[in-house]
Amino acid sequence: MSDHITELFDKDGNLIGALLTAPAWTAVRDQVMNCLGIRDTPAEAEKPEPLADWETLQQYWDFPYPVDTDVACEHCGNSTEDWAADDPRKFRLTSANLAGLVSFKCMSCRAKVVKKHFKDKISTECTPFIEAKNASKEGRY
C-alpha cells in the first residue's frame, strides 16, 4: 500500500485497523481527531497527581535516609522544603514509583525535576521545558 501505512487484517482477511508511521500520523492527526469528534484536553486535566503512588513509596521506604520532600528547579530558581504542603503548589507531582524514581513539574517554568533515590544518595536532574517539540513524539510533561 504505502511505506507510511500498514493495514491490519484478522485471520479471516477482514480489515481491523491500520498503523501509521510517525510522519503520516503527524500529517493527518488533526483531521482524524476532528472527524472522530475527539478533543485534546490539557495535560494537567488528563491526569491528577499520583498521590497514592507517593504514599505507597513512603509506606515501603527502605532507604537509610528519611523521606525527602524538598524540590528545587535549577532553571528558574523555584524551590520548596515540602512540595506537598505548598498552597498553591510550586511543584506538581507527575510520577512516583517503588524504585524511588519521583518526578515533578515546576509550576513556574514547567521544567521537569526528577529525583532518583538510590541506596546511599539522591540524584536530581532538571530538564527545561521545550515549547516547540517534535510533533511526531507525543511525550509531554
Side-chain angles (χ1 to χ4, degrees):
M1 167 156 252
S2 166
D3 290 340
H4 294 286
I5 303 170
T6 303
E7 292 182 330
L8 304 173
F9 298 92
D10 67 9
K11 64 181 171 106
D12 298 321
N14 300 315
L15 180 66
I16 58 171
L19 292 176
L20 301 177
T21 63
W25 177 244
T26 301
V28 300
R29 182 181 189 279
D30 293 337
Q31 294 93 338
V32 171
M33 300 294 265
N34 286 336
C35 288
L36 298 175
I38 301 171
R39 290 188 178 84
D40 276 338
T41 56
E44 290 81 19
E46 289 177 13
K47 274 174 89 173
E49 286 183 293
L51 295 175
D53 294 342
W54 172 250
E55 293 297 326
T56 301
L57 173 60
Q58 288 181 333
Q59 184 179 5
Y60 292 96
W61 193 268
D62 63 350
F63 299 109
Y65 46 85
V67 175
D68 67 313
T69 57
D70 62 310
V71 183
C73 177
E74 62 187 47
H75 295 286
C76 70
N78 194 15
S79 66
T80 182
E81 290 299 316
D82 186 357
W83 65 268
D86 291 338
D87 189 26
R89 290 271 168 94
K90 294 181 180 180
F91 294 90
R92 184 177 182 279
L93 180 68
T94 56
S95 69
N97 65 37
L98 279 175
L101 183 65
V102 182
S103 63
F104 300 90
K105 174 180 159 185
C106 176
M107 299 308 287
S108 291
C109 68
R110 299 192 292 182
K112 181 177 185 177
V113 180
V114 177
K115 296 182 87 171
K116 298 175 183 177
H117 297 85
F118 295 102
K119 182 178 180 177
D120 57 348
K121 67 176 183 171
I122 300 170
S123 173
T124 303
E125 297 173 2
C126 192
T127 308
F129 177 77
I130 301 170
E131 189 71 46
K133 295 184 179 180
N134 184 341
S136 297
K137 299 177 182 170
E138 286 292 313
R140 297 181 184 159
Y141 60 84

